[in-house]
């Protein structure tokens, strides 16, 4: 979506008071060819692609928690796949320990959301600053294999919640 649409330009329209938005897309889904690719989309919006973990990015670039928002879109960290959940635990703990504001979006409420809230709340001790709720901007993910007429779809970003710091932290917003 970053290169195939102007979807992200909406951030500059939504927050006109922000003088500079840097959007960093992070994950193993980023292609090797796009890793490190930087673009300027408007005078107030630029982007970078990072292939790897958010933890590796944060080790290389010290992003200020007072002006950084980490967004997770359908991470699957609570989907009931133990290896996937445990792979997220160190990063989520770092986000909580460093008090980044994190806005996460889950695909559904029957497994993803329940697992994410358990992992973050019970195991990591995250302090929720926005309780889970229906996302008014939910989407659908559509999968169609080339040459195959079969189409599958599922909900995407159906629920939203946010966390910052740990329960018991004083001064975290």
């Amino acid at each position: 979506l970053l290169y195939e649409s102007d979807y992200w330009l909406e951030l500059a329209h939504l927050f006109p008071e922000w003088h500079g938005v840097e959007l960093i897309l992070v994950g193993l889904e980023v292609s090797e060819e796009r890793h490190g690719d930087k673009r300027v989309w408007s005078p107030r919006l630029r982007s970078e692609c990072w292939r790897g973990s958010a933890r590796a990015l944060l080790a290389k670039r010290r992003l200020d928690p007072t002006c950084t928002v980490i967004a997770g879109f359908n991470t699957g960290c609570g989907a009931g796949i133990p290896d996937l959940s445990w792979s997220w635990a160190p990063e989520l703990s770092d986000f909580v320990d460093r008090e980044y504001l994190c806005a996460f979006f889950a695909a559904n409420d029957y497994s993803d959301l329940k697992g994410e809230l358990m992992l973050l709340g019970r195991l990591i001790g995250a302090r929720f600053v926005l309780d889970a709720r229906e996302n008014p901007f939910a989407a659908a993910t559509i999968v169609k294999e080339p040459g195959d007429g079969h189409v599958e779809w599922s909900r995407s970003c159906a629920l939203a919640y946010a966390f910052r710091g740990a329960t018991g932290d004083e001064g975290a917003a």
Side-chain angles (χ1 to χ4, degrees):
L1 282 177
L2 179 63
Y3 296 102
E4 297 171 5
S5 74
D6 59 1
Y7 176 80
W8 301 103
L9 289 174
E10 293 184 27
L11 288 171
H13 295 292
L14 184 61
F15 301 106
E17 69 280 2
W18 290 2
H19 297 288
V21 175
E22 181 179 17
L23 178 66
I24 306 172
L25 288 128
V26 179
L28 296 174
E29 299 85 0
V30 172
S31 69
E32 291 180 13
E33 297 82 36
R34 295 282 191 207
H35 177 70
D37 188 34
K38 296 180 181 183
R39 302 264 175 111
V40 176
W41 299 96
S42 78
R44 294 184 9 245
L45 179 66
R46 64 185 187 273
S47 69
E48 178 180 352
C49 292
W50 177 271
R51 180 176 171 81
S53 69
R55 192 174 211 195
L57 172 69
L58 293 173
K60 183 175 172 112
R61 296 197 39 208
R62 301 291 179 188
L63 301 175
D64 182 352
T66 65
C67 60
T68 299
V69 176
I70 295 174
F73 300 101
N74 299 327
T75 65
C77 68
I81 303 168
D83 288 346
L84 181 58
S85 295
W86 290 120
S87 74
W88 269 94
E91 291 193 43
L92 295 171
S93 293
D94 282 354
F95 300 162
V96 167
D97 292 345
R98 296 179 187 187
E99 295 191 1
Y100 284 105
L101 175 59
C102 299
F104 272 45
F105 302 88
N108 62 64
D109 59 359
Y110 53 85
S111 67
D112 289 340
L113 181 67
K114 288 178 184 176
E116 290 176 31
L117 297 180
M118 184 178 72
L119 176 63
L120 285 160
R122 291 186 186 162
L123 299 176
I124 294 174
R127 184 171 64 87
F128 293 96
V129 295
L130 176 69
D131 290 331
R133 62 192 64 203
E134 290 286 327
N135 177 9
F137 305 102
T141 299
I142 300 169
V143 177
K144 181 176 188 248
E145 294 295 328
D148 182 2
H150 183 71
V151 175
E152 292 188 23
W153 71 273
S154 62
R155 292 177 77 187
S156 176
C157 298
L159 300 128
Y161 63 92
F163 58 96
R164 180 179 219 160
T167 54
D169 283 351
E170 294 189 9

